[in-house]
Amino acid sequence: MLARLPLLLVLFATQLLAIPLDIIPNGSFERDTNRDALPDGWQPAVYKSPGKAIWDGTIARTGKRSLLLKDSAADGAKDWDKQTTRWVLQGRAEVKPGQTVTAQAWLKSELTAGEARVTLAWFAERKWLHEDSSERAKGTQPWTLHS
């Protein structure tokens, strides 16, 4: 059985740049060929949170763009969907059983609460199986590579 891998970026008030995976399209977030004001291959997901997912042209580690997530948690919210804002890879990549996959992303954070991380979500067809996440970023951090 082949597992399918979509990359879910779970970031709170964090900026991200470049995921050096061959299977990630537009990992630098620079392209917007269809001119929809979103980076090609990526979509924001704010669920029921008050968060904002911004394709930011004012700060980047390299290039001209980064992904910014901010103000994710609603006051007193306990449910995940009321305190989560994400940038999500639109497509899924097939990963063969036994294949090693490494995701890396540069995170910069200015957090007063919450955390930022890179998360890989594993699916078999459409069924969610499991998630693996990077070390969590908390507080204020300069650009730091997470994997």
Side-chain angles (χ1 to χ4, degrees):
M1 173 172 46
L2 290 180
R4 296 188 181 268
L5 165 78
L7 179 66
L8 300 179
L9 300 176
V10 183
L11 305 174
F12 301 90
T14 301
Q15 295 182 337
L16 163 77
L17 186 75
I19 301 166
L21 285 175
D22 294 337
I23 61 175
I24 304 298
N26 195 20
S28 67
F29 316 118
E30 299 292 319
R31 290 191 313 270
D32 179 21
T33 56
N34 62 359
R35 296 182 180 161
D36 65 353
L38 296 171
D40 292 346
W42 296 90
Q43 65 187 34
V46 296
Y47 306 100
K48 297 175 185 175
S49 83
K52 295 176 184 77
I54 301 162
W55 186 35
D56 194 347
T58 64
I59 188 167
R61 184 178 169 275
T62 60
K64 296 179 181 178
R65 294 282 187 167
S66 64
L67 302 181
L68 171 66
L69 299 170
K70 60 192 256 182
D71 303 329
S72 296
D75 290 337
K78 300 289 184 206
D79 297 330
W80 74 269
D81 60 347
K82 293 180 181 172
Q83 56 184 342
T84 300
T85 302
R86 303 176 177 186
W87 276 99
V88 180
L89 183 66
Q90 288 178 329
R92 293 184 177 182
E94 282 193 21
V95 177
K96 296 176 183 164
Q99 181 179 354
T100 299
V101 176
T102 301
Q104 294 180 316
W106 289 94
L107 302 180
K108 178 180 179 182
S109 64
E110 297 174 6
L111 301 169
T112 56
E115 59 190 31
R117 65 184 183 263
V118 177
T119 299
L120 296 177
W122 301 95
F123 291 81
E125 298 305 323
R126 294 180 182 256
K127 182 181 177 194
W128 176 86
L129 300 174
H130 173 76
E131 290 183 357
D132 291 305
S133 295
S134 69
E135 183 176 321
R136 287 152 167 74
K138 294 185 176 191
T140 300
Q141 289 187 7
W143 289 108
T144 305
L145 184 62
H146 287 251
S147 61

